Structures are given as structure tokens and as C-alpha cells.
Amino acid sequence: MIDRVRDPKQTGGRDRAWYRYYAGYSPAFVSDALDVLGLPEGYALLDPWMGAGTTLEVGAGRGLRVTGTDLNPAMIVISKGRMVGRNSSSSLEPLARELLIDLKPASRRTFDPLSQWFTNGTAGRLRSLCNRIDEVLVTPGLSAMQRVDSMSSIAAFYYVAMFMLVKDCTRTFQSKNPTWTKRRELGAGQISLTAKEISRLFLNIVESLVRLIEARSLESAPEHSVDSLRADTRTLPLEDNSHDAVITSPPYCTRLDYIVGHLLELSCLNISAESIRSLRDAMIGTPTMGMKIESQTLGENVDRFLHAVASHPSYASVGYYEPNFRRYFEGMSHSLAEIDRVVKPGASVVLVVQDSRYKDIHLDLAAALTDIGTSLGWRLSGRKDFRAVRSIAHLNPKTSEANRAIKPTESVLLYETADSGHR
């Protein structure tokens, strides 16, 4: 049945238009996966690495109860903003104009994080607009993280417009690596925008997002049926046996730093430098060394890969890369165990993963995660492979010509969890 699904990354313009996200997949893919699963209306669907919220939008449009989690506050806001329905579209532009009234620089005693890219005056004007969104649409007096957690879909919609505004204005700071954003010291930014220019750019983006909303099938975000939660997949804040199925794409084993890739968005949200560092350390697959190693056995494919990395003669293979990869697989092991806990016996789990290489060592991530799933009693009932168009290795100028010529394989995996008698 998994043969019915289309390539997760093969999308048309509208599929990717809500927000540019390197690790995302298309609504068409989620729709195909839901056709395979055949979930009736009212069933509970989970995406524990929800990213920009594609699974949530498509699932809600089919009448499912959908839950998404992500550790990255920027993705929580982006996914919430995506859930604004067509029935709210007519009020979005008029409210945007009200938010822009009397846009003056916000007074601050310390440098604004946006001043890494913008002049202090421009950063102050951008912060003033963020403050207006908070004053009108978010509960006052909350910390930055509390604002993210409590934000409505309407407030998140305007923050998405802010994200797009600052990203459009800082293209010269964005590298070929989609998860790396260049920056300057606080207070050293050089991009200058007047209040009038900010207003014009903000309204243009709001208008384009409204057109997208009006073109979608989601009439409204159903009350009490969509949850976007800031959470670590290793400790999900969900009840046992509470979800009927999972569609998700876990982080690939490619050492991508998604937090640094979203510095602009996190700066709009006024997330502190200390919180950003903590998030980088906590993310599964991060290139930082923040997580403790447990040195557990992780399955034949994982153990073979880790041994090959540790034995490689390349510099830092044993001291840095092997422990870093081990942290990734230990994080995935805990995460899959948590998914197993929160889904019902016999639930379906769809994962989208991509293979990778360390030097000349190949990692079949699909096989590695299947080993972990098998240890939980999961059964692989289908796998469909696609030739990926690009990978992070192709963007790295230090990648060898031999590895650059290899096209990675993206796999859609369909598992059935153990029934109640075998858990």
C-alpha cells in the first residue's frame, strides 16, 4: 500500500508556499499517506517533529484530531500561523493596518537581538511591531517562551509575516547551507528601513499569505482538535495510548543546526542567547556536544556504523564524530520509545528518512531506525525509496567529488506497532 505515496519532496509552488523550510515535506505526500492509513474522522494523528505543520494542516482538513510537537519555538509559531482558516481571512489585512499605526522604535536598555542584522533604529521599529502584536493579540506580561506557548493562530500569523519580512531583508546573510545564518555582533547590523518601508513590506507579505489561506481547503481551525506543543520527543507531554497514527520526518543524521538556521525567527520572538544555546544542545542531531552519552547497544546497523566511524583514520573521527553520531541514535531510540508509548496498540507509524555518509562510510538510516523499531516490537510493513534531488553534502564545498556524485535515498517507512498482547 505504501507504493501509492508520491515523493515527499516533489511539490508544486503552492505546496511549499506557506514557509520555506529545508526539512519539510509536501501536503500531497501527507494526503497520500492518510489515504494509505484510512483514518476515519475524529481519529487522533500525531506528528512529533512537526516542523512547519504540514501534517497538522492536512490532517485537520480531513476532520482528524491532530497533535504536533517541536522543540524549536520558531516552528511552533509557524505551524500555529498555518492553521488560520479561510473564515478569518477577510479580517487579517485590516488588523495588520491597525498594528502598523504609529510605528516608533521601541525603547530598550540593551541591544535588541535583531541588531545583529539591522541598525539599532530599524531593530527598534521591528521590535515595536512585534510588541504591538503582543499587546493586541497575546497575553501581556509573559516571558518569550510563554508567549510562544500561549500564542493564538492569529497572533502567530502576524509573527510569520514578521519572520518573512526579516528573512527577505537579510538575504545577503543567508549562506548556501539552509541551516546556517550569518550574523554580526549585537549593535553592528547595517540594514536600515524606515517605518514606511517596514509597513509596506509587512502589508505586502500579509496580503500574499491571505491569498494562500483563501486558496486552501481549510475553512477554519477546528476548536479543541489541533494542538501545537513545544516539547522534546524524548519526553512527550501526551497520555499513554492516546493516538491512532503517526506521520512524521525525524531529523536526519547529517548534523544540521536548525536552531542557528532559525536565528532570525528566534530573534523576532526575542528568545535569549542563553535559551538559544540550550536549544542547540537539546536538539537531536545537533552538531553541539550538549547531550550525555549512555553508550547503550542500538542495533546491528547502528553499532556497525558507529564502529566504522570510530575506526576511521580521519581526524576527530573517534573523539568527536562517533560520540556525536551516538548521541543522535540514543536520542532517536528514546524518541521512538516515547512514540510507542503514546500510540495505541497496532497503530501505524509513517517515517520519512534519508540516508547519508560519513567520509566513505554509508549510513542506511532507514535500516538503522528499523532496528530500533524492531526492538520495540514494531513491524516494517512497507518501504518506498526515492532518489533525493539534493542533500546537505552537495552544498558543502569540502565534500569529495565521489560523494558529491552520489544522490541520497529518501525512504518512506510504514510500521505497525505491537498489539496489546506483545507490548
Side-chain angles (χ1 to χ4, degrees), residues 198-218:
I198 291 173
S199 297
R200 176 179 57 80
L201 292 170
F202 185 72
L203 285 174
N204 286 343
I205 292 169
V206 167
E207 289 169 2
S208 67
L209 290 175
V210 168
R211 288 193 294 270
L212 286 175
I213 289 171
E214 291 176 339
R216 296 183 323 191
S217 59
L218 189 63

Side-chain angles (χ1 to χ4, degrees), residues 73-376:
M75 304 320 298
I76 300 296
V77 174
I78 291 167
S79 63
K80 285 184 176 183
R82 187 173 190 151
M83 299 311 297
V84 174
R86 286 189 291 115
N87 62 341
S88 300
S89 63
S90 62
S91 64
L92 294 173
E93 186 182 343
L95 180 52
R97 294 184 182 279
E98 289 186 28
L99 294 173
L100 290 165
I101 294 174
D102 197 25
L103 193 63
K104 296 178 180 178
S107 59
R108 291 178 65 90
R109 295 182 180 178
T110 58
F111 284 122
D112 193 293
L114 289 169
S115 69
Q116 296 169 98
W117 303 277
F118 299 92
T119 63
N120 291 332
T122 300
R125 282 184 280 274
L126 292 169
R127 180 62 56 201
S128 178
L129 180 49
C130 292
N131 290 344
R132 282 284 292 161
I133 296 170
D134 293 341
E135 290 166 5
V136 175
L137 297 167
V138 184
T139 304
L142 300 178
S143 69
M145 290 296 192
Q146 289 172 332
R147 288 199 305 273
V148 169
D149 294 338
S150 64
M151 198 175 291
S152 68
S153 60
I154 297 294
F157 169 89
Y158 293 112
Y159 263 104
V160 170
M162 284 296 304
F163 295 169
M164 296 175 74
L165 190 160
V166 298
K167 286 177 74 71
D168 285 348
C169 292
T170 55
R171 292 188 183 278
T172 57
F173 288 87
Q174 296 164 31
S175 67
K176 290 183 179 180
N177 183 335
T179 60
W180 191 261
T181 302
K182 302 173 188 176
R183 49 182 163 166
R184 297 178 183 270
E185 295 297 321
L186 288 173
Q190 297 178 348
I191 300 171
S192 180
L193 298 170
T194 65
K196 187 174 182 179
E197 288 171 328
I198 291 173
S199 297
R200 176 179 57 80
L201 292 170
F202 185 72
L203 285 174
N204 286 343
I205 292 169
V206 167
E207 289 169 2
S208 67
L209 290 175
V210 168
R211 288 193 294 270
L212 286 175
I213 289 171
E214 291 176 339
R216 296 183 323 191
S217 59
L218 189 63
E219 179 66 26
S220 63
E223 288 187 20
H224 311 302
S225 65
V226 180
D227 276 324
S228 298
L229 306 174
R230 183 170 54 87
D232 190 325
T233 51
R234 290 158 291 195
T235 53
L236 291 170
L238 303 171
E239 295 182 1
D240 295 357
N241 306 323
S242 56
H243 287 74
D244 298 285
V246 173
I247 300 175
T248 194
S249 181
Y252 301 160
C253 191
T254 47
R255 300 177 55 253
L256 297 181
D257 198 329
Y258 288 112
I259 294 299
V260 170
H262 290 104
L263 277 180
L264 287 157
E265 293 93 334
L266 295 171
S267 295
C268 282
L269 294 169
N270 217 6
I271 305 297
S272 70
E274 293 78 11
S275 294
I276 287 173
R277 178 65 200 195
S278 296
L279 287 167
R280 293 183 69 199
D281 287 343
M283 297 285 282
I284 294 176
T286 180
T288 67
M289 301 291 280
M291 290 188 292
K292 183 178 70 173
I293 294 179
E294 298 176 359
S295 299
Q296 64 193 74
T297 298
L298 295 160
E300 180 181 349
N301 283 285
V302 176
D303 291 345
R304 186 188 305 118
F305 173 74
L306 293 175
H307 176 74
V309 172
S311 303
H312 198 279
S314 178
Y315 175 74
S317 290
V318 67
Y320 172 75
Y321 288 100
E322 193 276 349
N324 192 276
F325 288 131
R326 184 176 294 276
R327 284 180 176 85
Y328 167 84
F329 284 111
E330 289 181 352
M332 287 304 303
S333 178
H334 286 298
S335 296
L336 295 188
E338 272 292 89
I339 291 171
D340 186 67
R341 177 184 66 80
V342 304
V343 297
K344 297 176 181 177
S348 296
V349 177
V350 177
L351 301 183
V352 179
V353 302
Q354 189 179 104
D355 69 350
S356 57
R357 308 185 77 83
Y358 173 71
K359 309 298 183 182
D360 55 346
I361 304 169
H362 176 245
L363 171 62
D364 184 346
L365 186 57
L369 295 186
T370 296
D371 282 353
I372 297 173
T374 299
S375 71
L376 297 169

